[in-house]
């Protein structure tokens, strides 16, 4: 599921970022032929193709940590001499995954920088790769923009001629120095709109409740305490708007497991649609790392949090 659109911030040059280290060394962007169950297939940084357009898979891996973002954006930036792009591919992240991917159609040979961005436009990881293949020989037709669509040129800027070809929009002529990146606006998907009411949700763990206040708040508990039982508290600035909330608890099956792959329990908590806070009892018998997630009855993700039993 992705949205594809041309972004009006041309030209953008980010190839100097190649040598800049990113936070979280296990995060990476991979260009591959396809992916299967979170495993990239046929990855490469140099591609030789017989013809264009060619479809490749953009794959982001978050290391051993589950992605908490509800969505992320791939920004595809061609080298400046191609005179196209940049482009954006937006992906809704499936709950509980440490990876996300989408396909993208490339129409021109050249070098490309592909970056994975959070919803707040901060970069998580980038990669530089190249595609080589036969260029099209057709001569693009020049299309004159109507007078009403022409914007006054700023001081010191030169008019840009816009031409259209089967490769997409291409800009010819002198270019001004790139300006600072601006936020890229796009409409929210239906799934993202449903999650907006839970974007400030808070999840906490404790040993009990006294006067509506959670006591013994912690992220790590002894197994003797979790065998007796603890509480998870879900609170939201807005009413839940539902009469039940689904709770999933997953555990890492071993110390070497890269994800929470063992389902411990799946249950439902009754709430009032007007409630802002809900509590659910939890009993855990094994030591290890756990992930606790909340959903609405129609499986809209509310939020997730983590705890450790020692």
């Amino acid at each position: 599921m992705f949205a594809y659109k041309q972004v009006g911030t041309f030209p953008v040059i980010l190839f100097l970022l190649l040598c800049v280290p990113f936070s979280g060394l296990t995060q990476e962007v991979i260009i591959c032929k396809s992916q299967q169950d979170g495993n990239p297939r046929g990855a490469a940084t140099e591609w030789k193709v017989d013809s264009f357009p060619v479809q490749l898979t953009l794959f982001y891996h978050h290391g051993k940590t589950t992605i908490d973002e509800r969505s992320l954006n791939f920004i595809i930036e061609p080298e400046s001499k191609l005179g196209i792009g940049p482009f954006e591919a937006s992906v809704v992240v499936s709950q509980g995954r440490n990876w996300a991917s989408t396909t993208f159609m490339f129409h021109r040979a050249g070098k490309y920088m592909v970056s994975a961005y959070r919803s707040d436009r901060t970069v998580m990881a980038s990669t530089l790769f190249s595609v080589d293949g036969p260029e099209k020989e057709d001569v693009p037709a020049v299309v004159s923009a109507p007078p009403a669509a022409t914007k006054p040129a700023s001081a010191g800027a030169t008019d840009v001629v816009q031409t259209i070809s089967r490769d997409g929009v291409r800009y010819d002529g002198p270019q001004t120095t790139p300006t600072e990146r601006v936020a890229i606006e796009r409409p929210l998907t239906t799934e993202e709109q449903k999650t907006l009411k839970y974007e400030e949700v808070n999840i906490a763990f404790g040993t009990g409740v006294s006067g509506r206040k959670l006591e013994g708040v912690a992220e790590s508990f002894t197994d003797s305490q979790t065998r007796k039982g603890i509480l998870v508290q879900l609170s939201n600035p807005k009413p839940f708007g539902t009469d039940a909330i689904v709770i999933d608890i997953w555990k890492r099956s071993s110390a070497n497991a890269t994800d929470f792959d063992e389902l411990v329990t799946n249950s439902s908590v009754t709430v009032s649609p007007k409630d802002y806070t809900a509590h659910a009892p939890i009993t855990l018998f094994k030591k290890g790392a756990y992930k606790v997630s909340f959903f609405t009855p129609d499986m809209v993700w509310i939020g997730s949090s983590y705890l450790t039993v020692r």
Side-chain angles (χ1 to χ4, degrees), residues 40-98:
R41 307 294 187 186
T45 56
E46 296 182 358
W47 292 83
K48 178 70 175 180
V49 299
D50 297 329
S51 62
F52 288 98
V54 59
Q55 179 176 284
L56 299 176
T57 296
L58 315 181
F59 184 92
Y60 168 70
H61 193 269
H62 198 56
K64 296 184 178 180
T65 305
T66 302
I67 300 174
D68 288 331
E69 299 289 322
R70 289 180 170 87
S71 65
L72 61 84
N73 303 312
F74 287 101
I75 306 296
I76 303 94
E77 297 174 285
E79 59 182 324
S80 58
K81 72 177 184 180
L82 295 182
I84 59 173
F87 305 96
E88 177 181 14
S90 301
V91 184
V92 174
V93 180
S94 297
Q95 191 272 333
R97 283 185 179 174
N98 65 340

Side-chain angles (χ1 to χ4, degrees), residues 84 152 164 185 239 279:
I84 59 173
I164 308 295
E185 297 183 0
H279 296 90

Side-chain angles (χ1 to χ4, degrees), residues 7-286:
V7 185
T9 56
F10 178 83
V12 179
I13 304 174
L14 287 185
F15 295 107
L16 293 177
L17 294 179
L18 181 62
C19 299
V20 179
F22 296 96
S23 59
L25 297 179
T26 56
Q27 301 180 39
E28 58 180 338
V29 172
I30 300 170
I31 310 302
C32 52
K33 289 183 178 179
S34 62
Q35 69 82 18
Q36 183 176 0
D37 298 327
N39 297 306
R41 307 294 187 186
T45 56
E46 296 182 358
W47 292 83
K48 178 70 175 180
V49 299
D50 297 329
S51 62
F52 288 98
V54 59
Q55 179 176 284
L56 299 176
T57 296
L58 315 181
F59 184 92
Y60 168 70
H61 193 269
H62 198 56
K64 296 184 178 180
T65 305
T66 302
I67 300 174
D68 288 331
E69 299 289 322
R70 289 180 170 87
S71 65
L72 61 84
N73 303 312
F74 287 101
I75 306 296
I76 303 94
E77 297 174 285
E79 59 182 324
S80 58
K81 72 177 184 180
L82 295 182
I84 59 173
F87 305 96
E88 177 181 14
S90 301
V91 184
V92 174
V93 180
S94 297
Q95 191 272 333
R97 283 185 179 174
N98 65 340
W99 60 274
S101 72
T102 188
T103 56
F104 190 84
M105 196 73 73
F106 291 88
H107 294 258
R108 297 284 301 278
K111 295 180 180 179
Y112 295 83
M113 174 73 79
V114 178
S115 304
Y117 282 80
R118 298 180 180 88
S119 56
D120 63 1
R121 314 311 295 174
T122 55
V123 67
M124 296 185 288
S126 294
T127 190
L128 176 65
F129 77 103
S130 63
V131 183
D132 188 19
E135 290 283 356
K136 295 180 180 179
E137 298 179 355
D138 57 305
V139 178
V142 177
V143 178
S144 300
T150 302
K151 295 182 179 180
S154 58
T158 307
D159 289 342
V160 176
V161 178
Q162 183 181 36
T163 61
I164 308 295
S165 74
R166 288 190 298 171
D167 295 329
V169 179
R170 180 165 63 242
Y171 294 85
D172 299 323
Q175 300 172 356
T176 57
T177 304
T179 58
E180 183 177 353
R181 176 183 292 278
V182 297
I184 301 172
E185 297 183 0
R186 62 175 178 82
L188 295 176
T189 64
T190 302
E191 184 171 343
E192 288 173 330
Q193 289 175 346
K194 290 181 180 179
T195 65
L196 282 179
K197 66 157 52 177
Y198 305 117
E199 61 182 348
E200 297 181 15
V201 73
N202 182 69
I203 301 173
F205 303 97
T207 56
V209 176
S210 178
R212 293 189 175 185
K213 183 178 180 180
L214 187 65
E215 295 185 328
V217 177
E219 296 178 352
S220 178
F221 300 88
T222 62
D223 60 341
S224 59
Q225 177 66 60
T226 57
R227 287 172 181 270
K228 291 188 296 183
I230 59 175
L231 285 177
V232 57
Q233 176 180 276
L234 176 69
S235 55
N236 194 50
K238 302 177 182 178
F240 293 133
T242 180
D243 56 5
I245 293 175
V246 178
I247 177 172
D248 276 357
I249 302 179
W250 291 77
K251 179 183 179 296
R252 282 202 174 101
S253 58
S254 68
N256 298 325
T258 59
D259 207 347
F260 295 87
D261 52 354
E262 179 182 323
L263 180 62
V264 177
T265 184
N266 173 268
S267 59
S268 180
V269 179
T270 301
V271 296
S272 168
K274 298 181 180 180
D275 284 347
Y276 293 78
T277 303
H279 296 90
I282 296 177
T283 304
L284 304 173
F285 297 95
K286 298 180 181 180

